[in-house]
């Protein structure tokens, strides 16, 4: 079996070289773990902040409108612009410069889904819980949020896939995970397709794997949701 694909890119360089993958196996694993780490950090921070803002939004509806407006405005800020603003504050190679914008982009999606999920809890369920003596706080954490879990995880799936794609952009700051290979392949004197393909394929594979993992988590944590959909 040939180690080089039979087709060549412009300039005579092969489209894909398995030898390049073998030589850079350690770097590929390192960058993949970096990609996972940045994604997990952004999602974790985004989820904690979103939960806090959602709790306040559920208590004070005017705050929900303000929160959606603010997070919506932050969501449309170009990622490169966000990195440029934070770089002078935290340093261009700082972990915070990368993670803060990534976490910010998850807020609009997560807050909207958390509040929507809680709002969809049947009224009779709330009344039954209140009749059993549940306080407002206990009602939220033990009844409403657990029942809203399918909608929350649906938002988390969208946020996760979006974040995995955005992490590749941070390669310009030297912390791009798999985006490092895409940038490296473009910056060579003669563009090298192999690292570009590796970066793209592994990013897509990671997004699919994370999405599948979250879907399986929803099925395990909220089995009642499947029965409701089946009716």
């Amino acid at each position: 079996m040939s180690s080089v694909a039979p087709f060549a890119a412009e300039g005579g360089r092969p489209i894909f070289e398995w030898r390049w993958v073998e030589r850079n196996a350690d770097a590929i694993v390192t960058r993949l773990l970096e990609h996972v780490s940045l994604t997990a950090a952004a999602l974790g921070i985004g989820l904690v902040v979103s939960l806090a803002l959602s709790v306040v939004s559920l208590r004070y509806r005017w705050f929900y409108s303000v929160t959606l407006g603010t997070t919506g405005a932050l969501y449309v800020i170009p990622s490169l612009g966000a990195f440029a603003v934070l770089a002078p504050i935290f340093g261009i190679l700082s972990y915070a410069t990368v993670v803060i914008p990534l976490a910010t982009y998850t807020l609009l999606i997560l807050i909207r889904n958390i509040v929507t999920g809680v709002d969809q809890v049947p009224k009779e369920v709330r009344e039954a819980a209140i009749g059993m003596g549940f306080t407002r706080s206990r009602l939220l954490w033990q009844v409403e949020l657990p029942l809203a879990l399918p909608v929350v995880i649906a938002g988390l799936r969208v946020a996760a896939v979006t974040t995995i794609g955005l992490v590749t952009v941070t390669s310009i700051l030297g912390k791009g995970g798999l985006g490092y290979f895409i940038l490296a392949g473009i910056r060579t004197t003669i563009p090298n397709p192999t690292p570009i393909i590796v970066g793209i394929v592994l990013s897509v594979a990671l997004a699919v794997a994370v999405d599948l993992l979250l879907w399986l988590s929803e099925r395990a944590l909220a089995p009642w949701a499947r029965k409701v959909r089946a009716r």
Side-chain angles (χ1 to χ4, degrees), residues 53-54 57 62-73 107-108 111:
L53 293 176
S54 295
S57 296
W62 62 266
F63 185 78
Y64 181 48
S65 300
V66 173
T67 301
L68 284 186
T70 303
T71 55
L107 299 181
L108 177 64
I111 292 171

Side-chain angles (χ1 to χ4, degrees), residues 29-49:
V29 172
T30 299
R31 294 295 176 176
L32 176 60
L33 292 176
E34 182 180 30
H35 208 110
V36 172
S37 173
L38 289 170
T39 301
L43 287 176
I45 294 171
L47 184 59
V48 170
V49 174

Side-chain angles (χ1 to χ4, degrees), residues 123-199:
K123 182 180 179 181
E124 55 270 22
V125 173
R126 291 194 180 92
E127 292 175 347
I130 293 173
M132 294 171 63
F134 277 61
T135 62
R136 189 161 190 165
S137 177
R138 188 181 173 196
L139 174 66
L140 174 65
W141 293 104
Q142 295 187 16
V143 178
E144 292 176 327
L145 281 176
L147 289 176
L149 199 58
V151 180
V152 175
I153 293 181
L156 194 58
R157 290 172 64 184
V158 175
V161 171
T162 301
T163 302
I164 289 171
L166 286 172
V167 169
T168 59
V169 181
T170 63
S171 57
I172 61 171
L173 302 179
K175 290 184 177 294
L178 296 169
Y180 168 84
F181 297 117
I182 299 174
L183 194 61
I186 295 173
R187 282 181 170 176
T188 55
T189 304
I190 300 176
N192 185 357
T194 301
I196 297 174
I197 292 172
V198 168

